Amino acid sequence: MDLNPSSVSKVLVRATNWLGDAVMSLPAIRAIRQIFPHAHLAVAARPAVADLYARETVIDQVISYTGGRRAFANRLRDERFECAILLQNAFDAALLAWMARIPVRIGYSRDGRGLLLTRAIQVPEPGDIPRHQRFYYLELLRRAGLLEHFPPGDAIRLEGIEAAREAGVRRLAALGISGPVIGISPGAAYGNAKRWLPERFVESAARLGHPALVFGSASERGLCEQVARGLGARNLAGQTTLGEFIELAAACRIFLTNDSGAMHVASALGVPTVAVFGATDDTTTGPTGPLARVVREHAECSPCLLRECPIDHRCMTRVSAEQVAATALQLWEESAPAWTHEARS
């Protein structure tokens, strides 16, 4: 079926499931808005990431993927979408679009779903595109003939940063906290291989000399409690919605983290962010923009991309608290004149 973007009235984007991937998909979603300037643009997303997309003014509707597959497909079918762009790679994304009878279904040909797509796009080979993950989503649009050039800029930024920061300051005040605050996210949903030692987060943050907030999921509450107890900090793991976390993170003066969804959110809020990398590759999934710093030490087996380290976790244990604290202090000083302006841009 031919696709004339100017004549399409309803477009569905199937969002990614992980928070970090959701942040890295935002440039592609903004490009889709420009490709279909007059269309109603909806995003189908898991509840865990729906609040992130709901903040974006280029998106007209966020449809939370709840209930069974057939029931959700019926909901989509009732919306009468004319085109589906699948940023998620899974077979399920293509099956849902097919069950919803969306006539144009565009996605990468992977996970055995090629026959369910009307435009099955070849997956880029290494070296075909810039390495950062945001280009993977943009390349889908380019290979589908919808995008000629990648958009300029190397920093992913959320919308409404100033409003989020102001709301976060009010939340901090309600917690009895004022002045500069350190945000810490010691967990990582993908697995333990991505996690730096909790006691080193404690030592690094202590060297900065300011109150801290510790963030994480409900399943990470025990890990976060180790860090919070060592600093006398408040443990908010499992205590905030994604929207509340975004506001609190926006109000932080600096953020210490592993490679995680929280890292992507903090850096996309323009918050000075220091991220410890080991098992994963910062050139593909690192934070973006001038207020982000990556700390890593060479290990012959890194990046391995494994969930669990099969040996001694040397890629992480070689990163010292002194290194992270020094990087954070330098970033703090460098960003002092500009970070407020950057956060609001």
Side-chain angles (χ1 to χ4, degrees):
M1 178 178 178
D2 291 334
L3 181 66
N4 180 359
S6 64
S7 65
V8 173
S9 62
K10 296 195 74 172
V11 176
L12 177 72
V13 175
R14 177 62 173 95
T16 57
N17 288 342
W18 296 96
L19 181 57
D21 291 339
V23 172
M24 291 186 286
S25 75
L26 289 177
I29 291 178
R30 290 165 183 164
I32 292 169
R33 171 80 285 167
Q34 293 180 346
I35 294 164
F36 300 94
H38 308 298
H40 177 87
L41 179 58
V43 171
R46 292 286 185 181
V49 296
D51 282 353
L52 180 86
Y53 294 110
R55 303 177 71 261
E56 296 293 308
T57 60
V58 300
I59 298 170
D60 298 308
Q61 179 186 14
V62 176
I63 305 173
S64 187
Y65 186 177
T66 57
R69 180 187 293 128
R70 185 173 297 279
F72 189 67
N74 289 338
R75 285 174 58 194
L76 297 181
R77 185 173 59 193
D78 291 342
E79 294 279 351
R80 298 186 180 277
F81 291 106
E82 298 158 65
C83 174
I85 299 174
L86 312 180
L87 299 184
Q88 191 201 19
N89 292 317
F91 180 87
D92 181 71
L95 180 60
L96 276 170
W98 178 81
M99 292 173 65
R101 300 179 184 173
I102 301 173
V104 177
R105 302 179 298 276
I106 301 170
Y108 280 124
S109 182
R110 54 186 307 173
D111 205 30
R113 65 185 191 170
L115 292 177
L116 295 173
L117 301 171
T118 60
R119 292 195 184 180
I121 307 301
Q122 183 179 359
V123 178
E125 295 291 336
D128 284 355
I129 58 175
R131 295 187 65 183
H132 198 269
Q133 181 74 10
R134 68 184 185 276
F135 295 107
Y136 176 79
Y137 303 118
L138 288 164
E139 180 70 358
L140 173 65
L141 306 177
R142 194 186 71 81
R143 293 192 176 202
L146 299 174
L147 184 69
E148 187 174 356
H149 302 293
F150 293 147
D154 65 348
I156 300 173
R157 289 290 180 264
L158 303 186
E159 286 191 33
I161 291 175
E162 184 174 1
R165 186 176 176 220
E166 291 172 353
V169 169
R170 291 194 294 270
R171 290 188 182 278
L172 290 176
L175 295 173
I177 301 173
S178 61
V181 175
I182 304 164
I184 305 173
S185 181
Y190 183 74
N192 288 326
K194 294 171 67 173
R195 294 178 178 176
W196 196 40
L197 284 67
E199 59 270 23
R200 295 191 186 176
F201 275 110
V202 172
E203 186 178 345
S204 298
R207 290 169 180 256
L208 301 181
H210 291 281
L213 293 174
V214 185
F215 299 101
S217 65
S219 64
E220 295 168 340
R221 186 159 180 83
L223 168 69
C224 292
E225 185 59 31
Q226 295 180 52
V227 177
R229 190 184 309 115
L231 291 167
R234 190 178 293 264
N235 179 7
L236 295 178
Q239 304 299 305
T240 63
T241 65
L242 176 55
E244 291 167 346
F245 165 68
I246 289 172
E247 292 174 353
L248 287 165
C252 291
R253 180 60 181 82
I254 202 161
F255 209 94
L256 308 181
T257 178
N258 299 310
D259 175 14
S260 65
M263 174 200 73
H264 286 286
V265 169
S267 66
L269 287 165
V271 175
T273 301
V274 179
V276 181
F277 270 73
T280 49
D281 188 350
D282 58 281
T283 65
T284 59
T285 61
T288 65
L291 297 181
R293 299 288 185 276
V294 170
V295 181
R296 72 179 308 145
E297 281 293 310
H298 172 73
E300 57 277 12
C301 50
S302 172
C304 65
L305 308 181
L306 297 176
R307 289 180 180 269
E308 302 290 337
C309 178
I311 49 173
D312 55 8
H313 212 195
R314 64 189 65 176
C315 64
M316 285 301 205
T317 59
R318 288 177 181 177
V319 177
S320 69
E322 291 81 3
Q323 286 175 280
V324 172
T327 301
L329 286 168
Q330 182 180 13
L331 180 57
W332 188 300
E333 294 173 0
E334 291 177 358
S335 62
W339 85 279
T340 300
H341 171 75
E342 170 70 16
R344 294 181 180 183
S345 62

